Amino acid sequence: IVEDTPGVTRDRIYTEVEWRSRKFTLIDTGGIEPYAEDQIMQQMKRQAQAAVELADVIIFMVDAKAGLTASDSEVAIMLRKTDKPIILAANKVDKIGEPPPEIYEFYNLGLGDVVPVSAIHGLGIGDLLDVVFEHFPPEDEEDDDENVIRTAIIGKPNSGKSSITNRLLGEERVIVSDI
């Protein structure tokens, strides 16, 4: 389900992806609102934190149209504590060519380069997957299904996490809920 209303994804959604002949598990999460006191939002935050703990690589999705927010900064602080590779993806960059100047403010998060994408139009997704691929271990280190690489998509509500997941995968997903 993809909706412009924040909070539609509440659970962890797992799906298998293949890129450049390598398979990995993508974990879509509900949005994180660090300051929310609502019980459902707190549970969504716990679901996202569980995905972060499971993940080998983290995609931090931000909303380029909304710009850098205090919530983005808080989520970035939380993610930096993991010592896991974090890929910063700015979604809703809907035009081909030079990225809009607004995405450069996301460099203030201290997470490195920003990968501009448009989940709705499918722009930049290959570039994003190439950056994820750079963090995979050599193939000879993957010897069984327990060593499958896991990549979590984290961000605030309505930043495009589920849209990009749906763009990549279609509808073959497994939902895991602790609510």
Side-chain angles (χ1 to χ4, degrees):
I1 299 171
V2 177
E3 179 64 44
D4 282 338
T5 306
V8 172
T9 302
R10 295 183 178 180
D11 308 312
R12 287 171 283 158
I13 301 173
Y14 292 71
T15 191
E16 299 303 313
V17 177
E18 185 172 334
W19 184 251
R20 293 169 55 182
S21 301
R22 297 287 298 275
K23 291 183 181 181
F24 64 101
T25 300
L26 187 67
I27 308 169
D28 181 18
T29 65
I32 297 177
E33 279 293 350
Y35 306 112
E37 294 183 21
D38 174 85
Q39 188 173 13
I40 291 175
M41 293 301 285
Q42 288 296 319
Q43 182 61 27
M44 289 167 55
K45 181 179 176 183
R46 284 191 289 277
Q47 289 281 340
Q49 288 171 325
V52 166
E53 289 174 20
L54 287 170
D56 300 299
V57 179
I58 300 165
I59 299 171
F60 179 23
M61 184 78 64
V62 293
D63 183 337
K65 288 187 178 177
L68 182 62
T69 66
S71 292
D72 292 327
S73 297
E74 289 299 317
V75 172
I77 290 168
M78 177 190 89
L79 294 177
R80 277 197 302 269
K81 292 176 183 176
T82 67
D83 290 327
K84 295 182 180 188
I86 302 166
I87 299 161
L88 181 58
N91 190 31
K92 303 182 185 179
V93 179
D94 298 330
K95 294 183 182 176
I96 296 173
E98 272 306 301
E102 295 81 24
I103 73 161
Y104 295 103
E105 69 183 328
F106 291 106
Y107 281 91
N108 291 323
L109 294 173
L111 297 174
D113 289 333
V114 180
V115 181
V117 298
S118 172
I120 200 88
H121 298 294
L123 302 173
I125 294 174
D127 295 335
L128 176 61
L129 290 173
D130 284 342
V131 176
V132 170
F133 184 87
E134 291 173 10
H135 295 285
F136 289 176
E139 279 188 87
D140 58 337
E141 291 181 21
E142 290 180 56
D143 49 356
D144 58 36
D145 287 340
E146 291 182 18
N147 290 329
V148 171
I149 301 157
R150 293 180 185 91
T151 302
I153 303 178
I154 305 294
K156 67 184 181 197
N158 208 32
S159 61
K161 298 172 306 298
S162 293
S163 295
I164 205 157
T165 301
N166 289 338
R167 170 64 71 171
L168 288 170
L169 317 166
E171 297 303 319
E172 187 178 326
R173 301 178 290 165
V174 177
I175 299 173
V176 176
S177 173
D178 293 334
I179 295 179

